[in-house]
Amino acid sequence: MRIWLSFLFFLITTISFAYVPDVLPPMEDPMLMTVWGESQELNTVNYFCGTLFIARDYSPGATLEQMKMGAGFGKAKENEGDIFYHFYTAGTRYRTLIVIAGGGSEKHLEDIARVEEMAVEIKKENGLVMIIDIDVDDSGDDSIKAEFARRLIPLTDAVVFAGSSSENYASALYEDSPIVLKLSIVVDLLIVFERDFGGGRCCD
C-alpha cells in the first residue's frame, strides 16, 4: 500500500508541479509544528513530512512554555518513534512555527489563545509563522474559524489552503497581507513540502 501511495504521489507531483507556482518564504530551523482544530487529513500531512524527512518537533498541543524550552522541548529525544531528527542541539530556539488548522468547534475557541501566544513569541525574534489549513470538509463552526483567522493572520507570514475554503479568512486577509497559496487538493502539499521544506524524498 505504501509503495502504491508513493508512486501515486510521485505521479501527481510530476503532473501538477507547474500548477503550484507560488514559493513560500524560506523555512528557518528549528521548526515546531502544532495543531489547531480537527481534520481527517492530519495523518496525511504527517505522512508527507515523514516521507520527506522534514526536521521538526511535532506536538499537537504544544504550549508557550514548552516552545520556550527550544528544540526537543529542552531535552534530547532518544526514542526511535520521535519525530524530531536530532539535527539541532536540544534547546535551540525555534525559528518557525507551523500551525496545521482544521475545523474549529466550540471546544477549540479557547485554544486559539495557545497558538496566538506561540506566534507572538516567534515573531519577537523575527521568526516565521505559517498556517496550513486542511479543513477539507469545512465541518467546523464558521464564526470560530473566522475568530482564529482574525487573531492569527496579523502574526502570520504565509497561509496555505490545501483543499480547504479561504472564506472564513476573507476579512482578516483583507486587513493584512501574508503570502497566500491555494491548493486544490491536499496531495499538492507534497509538492510544496518537497520544494520549500524537504531535505529529499525517500521511498519513491
Side-chain angles (χ1 to χ4, degrees):
M1 181 66 173
R2 176 162 287 197
I3 294 174
W4 183 85
L5 279 173
S6 295
F7 174 75
L8 176 63
F9 295 154
F10 174 75
L11 183 62
I12 292 173
T13 299
T14 303
I15 294 172
S16 304
F17 190 87
Y19 300 99
V20 189
D22 299 317
V23 177
L24 297 173
M27 301 298 105
E28 296 190 57
D29 300 314
M31 178 192 302
L32 176 61
M33 187 177 284
T34 193
V35 175
W36 180 84
E38 297 176 345
S39 174
Q40 63 181 1
E41 296 294 347
L42 188 58
N43 288 337
T44 303
V45 174
N46 280 318
Y47 175 72
F48 290 166
C49 289
T51 299
L52 294 173
F53 295 109
I54 294 174
R56 64 191 177 128
D57 268 332
Y58 172 72
S59 177
T63 65
L64 176 62
E65 290 70 25
Q66 289 173 322
M67 190 183 77
K68 284 182 174 179
M69 294 171 69
F73 293 158
K75 58 184 179 181
K77 292 188 172 185
E78 297 176 356
N79 296 330
E80 189 176 339
D82 285 328
I83 293 185
F84 186 62
Y85 286 102
H86 309 285
F87 290 168
Y88 306 99
T89 303
T92 303
R93 184 186 295 272
Y94 289 109
R95 296 291 302 156
T96 297
L97 174 67
I98 296 184
V99 182
I100 306 299
S105 61
E106 192 67 34
K107 65 182 179 180
H108 300 115
L109 186 57
E110 291 185 4
D111 195 41
I112 297 174
R114 172 184 67 88
V115 181
E116 185 180 25
E117 286 178 342
M118 291 194 294
V120 168
E121 185 68 19
I122 288 284
K123 297 310 293 181
K124 283 180 182 176
E125 301 293 330
N126 296 316
L128 179 79
V129 177
M130 180 183 298
I131 297 170
I132 301 177
D133 194 300
I134 54 171
D135 183 17
V136 296
D137 294 327
D138 291 325
S139 56
D141 183 311
D142 289 351
S143 65
I144 292 174
K145 177 62 77 67
E147 176 66 7
F148 170 80
R150 183 186 72 80
R151 290 167 62 177
L152 266 296
I153 289 299
L155 301 164
T156 301
D157 299 283
V159 186
V160 178
F161 298 101
S164 59
S165 171
S166 60
E167 218 170 274
N168 294 318
Y169 291 78
S171 60
L173 288 171
Y174 180 78
E175 298 294 335
D176 295 273
S177 301
I179 293 172
V180 176
L181 177 58
K182 295 182 180 180
L183 309 176
S184 58
I185 54 176
V186 173
V187 172
D188 282 340
L189 274 174
L190 185 70
I191 306 166
V192 175
F193 283 179
E194 182 173 35
R195 185 189 63 193
D196 299 332
F197 288 51
R201 186 168 5 150
C202 78
C203 312
D204 284 342

